[in-house]
Structures are given as C-alpha cells and as structure tokens.
Amino acid sequence: MAPRKSKKKAPSFRKLLKTSNIKIENKLKNRQFKQQSIAKKHRKEQKKLKQALNNAATRTPLPLERYKKRPEDEEDEEEFEETLPVDMMEEDDLEQMKAMAQKASFLTRDLSSSEPVHARKRKQENVMDKYEKVPRLMQKEQEKELIHLLPIKDKTGIIPQTMEKPVVKKAEKENEDEGDGDGAEEVNAPKPLPLLTTQELVVLRRKRLEERKVCIAALGSSILSDPSANIKKLKELRSMLVELDPYVAVTVRKLVMVSLMELFKDIVPSYRIRPLTEAEKSTKVKKETQQLREFEEGLVSQYKFYLENLEQTVKDWKQMKKKKSDVVSLKSYKGLAEVAVKCLCELLVALPHFNFHNNIIVMIVPLMNHDCKKISEMSCEAVRKLFKQDKVGQASLGMVKVISGLVKSRNYEVKPEVLKALLCLRVKEVEVKKDADDIAPKKRFMNFKEKRKHLSRMQRKWKKAEEKLEKELLEAEATECKEKKLKLHTETLNIVFLTYFRILKKAQKSILLPCVLEGLAKFAHLINVEFFDDLLIVLHKLVESGDLSYRESLHCIQTAFHVLSGQGDVLNIDPLKFYTHLYKTLLRLHAGTANDDMIIVLQCLDVMLTKRRKQVSVQRALAFIKRLTTLSLQVLPNSTVGILATNRVLMHTFPKSDILLDNESQGSGIYLPELDEPEYCNPQNTSLWELHTLQRHYHPIVRKFAAHLIVGAPSEGSGALNVDLSRKSATDLFEDYSTKGMTFNPPVATPSSKKKEKFTIGDALLDSDLKKQIDSHLEATSIPSDLDFAAQFRKAFI
C-alpha cells in the first residue's frame, strides 16, 4: 500500500524564514545561558577551594596523646620480629626495605611534635641555593592608554595613527583635587556674617538685592531676545533658585521663580515637543533643523528641572524639614511655597498643550484640598479657569480623572470646593446612539483608473476641480475635530457621573451632597436614559428623608425635572411628589440678602410649569400663582420682579388663570393656604389681593409689574409692559435688578417732605374767653430781675 499522504500543508517560505530566525535566536540564548551557568559554577568552585586553603593555613595541628607500652607488649614484639622469615628475602630487597624505612619519616617520627618533615635536612641546605631557586617577581609596567587619531591615507593604504594618553602624576592630581575641593568649599560655604548695625544691614541687603535684580533682568532680556541661541542661560538663571546669601535668599528665590514662569510662558512653542527616535537622531538634517532640535531639547529639560524645583519647594513646606545646607528659615518656607503654587497655577492655565501638563495637574489637584486657605483657593481658581477656557477637552479630561481619584482615595472626605470646580466644565454635547444616516459610509472619491474608464477628458477635469473643492469644504468644517471633541466630552462626563453616583450611593450624609445635587442639576440633560429610574428613586428618597436643607431639596427637584424634560419625555413617570415638595418649600425661602436660592426656584418653575404645560392641571397652576404672589411680599425687589415675571408667563400659558383677578368665588369650598397639596387647596376661590399692595411698592419696576398683572397682563395697549421688560426672562430680570452692590437699580426716588413751607398767622385757639384769660395772665406776669432762686425759696418757706 502506498503511504498515506500527510494532510498538513507545507509551510510557506515566509513562515520557514520566520521560524528559522526564531530558532537561531533561541539557540543563541541557550548558548549564552550555558556559558553563564558554567562560569558561575567555576567561580563557585574557585571560591570554595580558596576558602579551604585559607582554613588549612590558619589551622595549627593539635598534639596527639602518647601511650606508654607495657613490658609484656615489648617482649611480644621482640619475639615476633625474631620469628619473621627474613631468610626468605633476597639481600637487595632487604636493603631496599631498610632504606624505605629510613625515609618513611611519617611512620617513624614522633607525631606529638609539630616539627615539619625533614626539618634537619632543610636546615643543612645552603641558604643561597634556596634563594636562587625562588622565582623573581618582575615589576610589571603599566599599560599605556592609547588615543586613536584620524588615520592617514597614502599610496600604500590607510595608516592608523595613535597617541599615548598623557599620565598625570598621583601627587599632582591629589594636590589639584585638594585645591578644587578647597575652592568648592570656599564657594559653597557661606561667608561668616559680619557684625553690623541694623541700618547697615538694611543698606547691605538693599545693595545685594539690586545686584541680583540686575542679573535676573539681564538674563531674562537676553533669553527673550534670542531664545534659540541663549537657551543655556536658562540654566544659569535656574541656578539662582538655590541662592545661599542669607540676606536676600528668600526674595531672590521668589523673583527667580516668577521670572522663569514668565519666560516659559513667552518662549514655549504652541505645540507639544516629542522625543526623537533613534532613526531620527541618526539621520542627517539641515543646520536650521539641528538648531531647532537642540533648542527644543534644552527647553524641555530646563522646563522639567524648573517644575521639579517648584515641586520640591512645596514638599519642603509640607514636611517642614530644614535642610542642613539651606540658609532659609522654616518660617520662610510658607512664602516660598505660595509663590511656587502660584507659578504652577499660571503654567497650568497658560500651557495646557505643552509637555508635563499632566504632572502639573497631579501636583495641583491635592492642593485643592489643603488646609491652607490661600493655597486651596489659588488651586481651585486655576482649575476653574482651565475648565472654562478648554475648548477641545483634553486637559479637562486629565483634570477630571485626577479629581475623581482624589475623592475616591480620601474616602469622600474632601472640601466641597473640589467638586464645585466641576460645575465650570464646558460640556454641552455628548455622543449618543448613531442613526442610520450617521452609520452610512462616507462619500468616497474616484481613483484615476475609475475616472479614465467612466469619464471623458473634460469630465475628468471638472471632477478633479469638484473633488478639490469638496476636500477644502471638509477641512473647513473640521469634522474630525468635532468628533474628537465629542468623544472627549463623553468620557469626561462619564467620569463625573461616576463620581456623583458613588457619593449618592455611599456617602449620602457627606458635605459633598449639595455639590453633587447641583452638578446633577446642571448636567442632568446629558445623563443616559438607563439611569433615569434609579436616579429618580434616589432623589425622591432624599427629599422625603427630611435631612436636606431647602437649598439641597431645590437641587433635587431641579435635577429630577431636568431629567424628565430631556430624554425622559418618553418615560411614563408622574412627578407629583416633587410638585408638592416645591409648593411646600416656597414659603421657607430666605427673605434677606442671601436670596441666591431664588434663581433655583425660578429655574424649577420654568421647567415644571412652563415646559411641561400639557402635564400640569389648571388647579395646580392656580395654586402656584397664588403662593408665588404671596411670597413676593416678603422678598427683596429683584426676587419680587422675578416672581411677577414668572406669574406673567403662567397667566399667558394658562388663560383660565384670570379667575384670580376676580373677587367672586367659583365652586364649593374656601381657599386653604396652609394646605401643602396644590391640587386640593381650592385656589379658584381666592384672588390676587397682594397686587394692590405691590402697586404701592418703593421699587418702580415692581409697581409696573403689579399694575400690568392687575389689568390681566395684556401684550398690547395701555397696560402693556415695555419691550425691554417683556422680552427678558425671569432669571435675567432677577440678575439685572440685583441689590448686591447695596444700591437700587434703578435708583429709588426719595419720599416728599410732609412739612408745610408757609405758616399762616392767626388765632391758634378757637375759644375767645380762654384766649383773653391767657393773654391777661401773660401781660401781668413780669420776669424777676433777681435770679437768686435759693433766696426766693427761703422767703416763701418762712
């Protein structure tokens, strides 16, 4: 039978080549491993042998015990020797045995002595012969080091050239090293402070400080004039960060920190510098390109060292450990650390595109939670600025990742300002599930073969111009940049929501809860639909628990309705409990200067009543209008204007609300203002009598709105509002007429004086008899000339 054919496919040449290379590499690795193991074993054996020799040389032999023989044993030995068959041995053998017995010193000598073998014989030898037999130790000449020079080429070929390396004598070298060491000690060691008066010390310090300032200014101006040529002067300027003069050390270090920060902000390019690959380093480039590479490399290295110096300054302040070589006192560490943090914050905001930006983020974020108020505020302000100015989202994503890690690592025990900074994120859009139009393949341009096959020469010419125009339009639209931005924003918001949900789940009684609720209220329209049910349940539990302040409960309500107003329209959820809670909370608002919560109320009312008008009943709308009008009597003017503007919008949205302007009741029952259920408080049986009171308000805008609402809030006619007031929203009016500056906007007119300008002369008393009696009494009474009241009193008493 024929042998069975193998079903395995023959390997291709590329596969064979690949496997052969792998086998060769494996063989080389195995060979190297074997050589290393053999060398290792050999070294171990040599080490053991040396150790055994050393032990044997140091050890002295101990004397053995000697035992005296008994006389009986001696007689037995003699008898034994006599009985030996000596006659059976030949004479030559017998002589050889005797000679060997004489040489066998180990058997015949006394073992108790430590004398070496043949000691007597060695003593008799000639000393000179022994000395001559010892090999001489020749003095080895030190190998001279050679320096390879450029070769010379002639007719015969290339002739290599070498030169002996000059040898410096040890004594001279030691002297030079000692001299250098003394010089270095002289430079580094601070000079002893002379005994001067306070005035002389101030003058000396001012003089030295002026010298350092001139030096810093000269270095900075030279670097700015030509950065690529003077990039090495950055190192010279950075070396002044370790100023050792105790008079001006602190001030000079602060000045150098700020100067370097401004220099880097000016000379840093608008792109990120990446390290060169080995292939790029080996290739030849133009002179200008090489200069640019050297400039970029020097700039990155100096920038890195500068950031390390700033970080070390902050660490020294945190640890409060003074260095031995440092001339700065512990009290000055705080001032240096504040300047270092300020420089880091400036670089964080000014250079988000440059190298080591993530390192700056890692340094700044923990300082947001620092106990020092000034450093914490500086760090938080820098993070907020970065979020506001970041248009692409790359820097914001890195910052959010580090903040999330900080909150989690500290077990949610951080300052609320850390999470409040996330409210400044510029995230307005995120990626959603793509439609069929987005999934459709993009338009592909025809290649040259397709054009030649299907189009004529003139058509090809027009097609080329058309494709060029379309490419330019695509570049102008920057679709790729938009997609990248959406992707970064989506990832950023996912991390933010992950942090918020962790706090809602694990730390509901934390001080971070208000910030979480405020953040959810701002970004609620971007939450995924899958989380809506669970989120609404958690928010309702928080509201019903009663542990929240009224501001936190307002944030819960705002978040819930933002969720329902966006993608939550498709959900069949009745938020009646949230309406009830807001209706109950309205009368608890602060009526003093801290009325910032009113803007949250106005936003909630806009989302709950205006945008969801189809899901709101007329009874609920009437109850809210009545309670808001009652609330307008006890708040500041800007809050009153916002509430009346909201009532105006609600009257236009619900036309049947004009029933509140009539004093006749409809239906059964009476209005129950103390009831917390808006559906069952009978608001149709009351009227807006508060508007008559507001017509006499001291603020002119409040009077205008009250008069406008009394006549039914008409859009045209004599009772209509101005265009400026009618077109603005309630929140805009609240901000426009704010009283934060302790002034009214517009100014309130002073009240008119009630005093009469003219007085009429006439009878003040209507009774004529009484008037005559008073006049006669006044005429009869004379003023005494003597004003001695004591004498008059004595006379009257006598």
Side-chain angles (χ1 to χ4, degrees), residues 449-460:
K449 290 183 178 180
E450 291 176 350
K451 290 178 184 176
R452 193 170 183 179
K453 184 177 180 181
H454 299 289
L455 302 176
S456 63
R457 184 177 179 183
M458 185 59 68
Q459 287 175 338
R460 288 200 299 271

Side-chain angles (χ1 to χ4, degrees), residues 43 78 192 242 250 256 275 372 446 525 548 552 575 589 625 763:
R43 286 195 298 271
E78 291 177 358
V242 288
V250 178
V256 173
C372 182
M446 297 175 68
H525 60 288
L548 305 179
E552 294 170 4
L589 292 179
I625 292 172
D763 296 336

Side-chain angles (χ1 to χ4, degrees), residues 390-394 397 426-431 478-493:
D390 187 18
K391 296 180 180 178
V392 179
Q394 186 72 44
L397 177 60
R426 295 182 60 176
V427 180
K428 296 181 180 178
E429 288 184 280
V430 292
E431 282 184 340
T479 54
E480 184 179 355
C481 182
K482 189 176 181 181
E483 291 176 359
K484 182 182 177 182
K485 182 178 175 182
L486 280 175
K487 188 175 180 181
L488 291 172
H489 284 183
T490 305
E491 190 175 353
T492 302
L493 211 59

Side-chain angles (χ1 to χ4, degrees), residues 491-502:
E491 190 175 353
T492 302
L493 211 59
N494 287 339
I495 297 172
V496 172
F497 283 142
L498 179 63
T499 307
Y500 286 165
F501 293 157
R502 278 175 180 166

Side-chain angles (χ1 to χ4, degrees), residues 196-206:
L196 301 174
T197 61
T198 306
Q199 187 176 3
E200 290 174 345
L201 285 173
V202 171
V203 173
L204 179 64
R205 181 183 181 279
R206 191 178 300 164

Side-chain angles (χ1 to χ4, degrees), residues 400-401 404 412 419 422-423 425 427 429-431 489-505 515-529 531-532 535 559 562-563 567:
V400 167
K401 284 182 179 178
S404 177
Y412 313 106
L419 285 185
L422 298 176
L423 298 175
L425 282 168
V427 180
E429 288 184 280
V430 292
E431 282 184 340
H489 284 183
T490 305
E491 190 175 353
T492 302
L493 211 59
N494 287 339
I495 297 172
V496 172
F497 283 142
L498 179 63
T499 307
Y500 286 165
F501 293 157
R502 278 175 180 166
I503 295 171
L504 280 177
K505 184 178 179 181
C515 306
V516 170
L517 296 173
E518 193 171 352
L520 286 173
K522 181 174 181 180
F523 303 116
H525 60 288
L526 302 173
I527 301 177
N528 196 347
V529 185
F531 303 113
F532 281 1
L535 183 60
T559 304
H562 273 300
V563 167
Q567 303 176 36

Side-chain angles (χ1 to χ4, degrees), residues 647-661:
N647 281 348
R648 177 177 177 272
V649 174
L650 293 177
M651 284 184 176
H652 290 167
T653 307
F654 301 95
K656 293 184 179 180
S657 59
D658 59 354
I659 193 175
L660 295 174
L661 302 174

